[in-house]
Amino acid sequence: MITSSIVIQKKASIIWAVLTDKNQFKQWYFDIPDFALEKGITFHFYEPGGKNKFLHECTILEIIPNKKLVHTWTHPTFSQGVTTVSWLLQENEGLTTVTLHHEGIENLHDAGPEFASENYQTGWDQILSNLKKFVNEKD
């Protein structure tokens, strides 16, 4: 399992809005036009830059507003494997810890070296850094 975490000096409700609003997260995360915050919805996206090499397909499994968002994470053109991404928000006195768990990376073993856990760790660390920067610039 990959875990990445960051503390942001904002309320969880503010971070939740940024994390679940496709018009906001396309500015710091990915552009996901078919995203909808609804359990069972499947959404799709590609890596930034327009090359469209890596299709991502995800299905929302769990939603607890302001606390938890869980979805699958697959690359159907490269692997039959399914992984799970959990976004967890924990607020304490105006500070929110955002923790991301990506479980099942080993299920992508058939996808090749670009899908190694080290690459995901680097990517998630950068994405959480982007989230913090975006949220802090919203003031």
Side-chain angles (χ1 to χ4, degrees):
M1 175 169 53
I2 292 171
T3 298
S4 190
S5 188
I6 198 161
V7 176
I8 303 174
Q9 193 170 346
K10 299 287 181 186
K11 292 185 177 217
S13 60
I14 292 170
I15 296 167
W16 180 259
V18 170
L19 184 66
T20 59
D21 177 348
K22 66 183 175 184
N23 293 316
Q24 291 189 66
F25 64 57
K26 74 179 178 183
Q27 297 176 60
W28 63 270
Y29 186 43
F30 293 102
D31 185 9
I32 310 173
D34 62 346
F35 178 87
L37 186 59
E38 184 178 327
K39 187 175 178 181
I41 291 291
T42 298
F43 56 93
H44 308 82
F45 60 98
Y46 288 94
E47 74 283 1
K51 292 183 181 178
N52 293 353
K53 180 178 179 183
F54 301 109
L55 173 64
H56 300 68
E57 183 175 276
C58 307
T59 300
I60 297 178
L61 303 174
E62 184 178 2
I63 301 167
I64 302 174
N66 301 320
K67 293 187 185 281
K68 186 177 189 181
L69 175 64
V70 180
H71 58 80
T72 62
W73 180 279
T74 66
H75 297 283
T77 54
F78 287 89
S79 174
Q80 297 300 310
V82 177
T83 67
T84 304
V85 173
S86 301
W87 296 85
L88 308 170
L89 306 180
Q90 185 174 17
E91 184 180 336
N92 185 13
E93 298 181 13
L95 296 175
T96 301
T97 301
V98 180
T99 303
L100 182 135
H101 297 296
H102 193 163
E103 298 178 69
I105 299 295
E106 66 278 1
N107 297 338
L108 302 176
H109 68 278
D110 58 340
E114 292 174 308
F115 297 88
S117 61
E118 306 82 46
N119 294 338
Y120 278 104
Q121 184 70 61
T122 300
W124 288 123
D125 290 346
Q126 183 60 55
I127 286 168
L128 286 182
S129 178
N130 293 348
L131 169 64
K132 183 174 185 173
K133 182 179 178 189
F134 179 77
V135 169
N136 286 334
E137 289 176 351
K138 286 183 59 69
D139 290 339

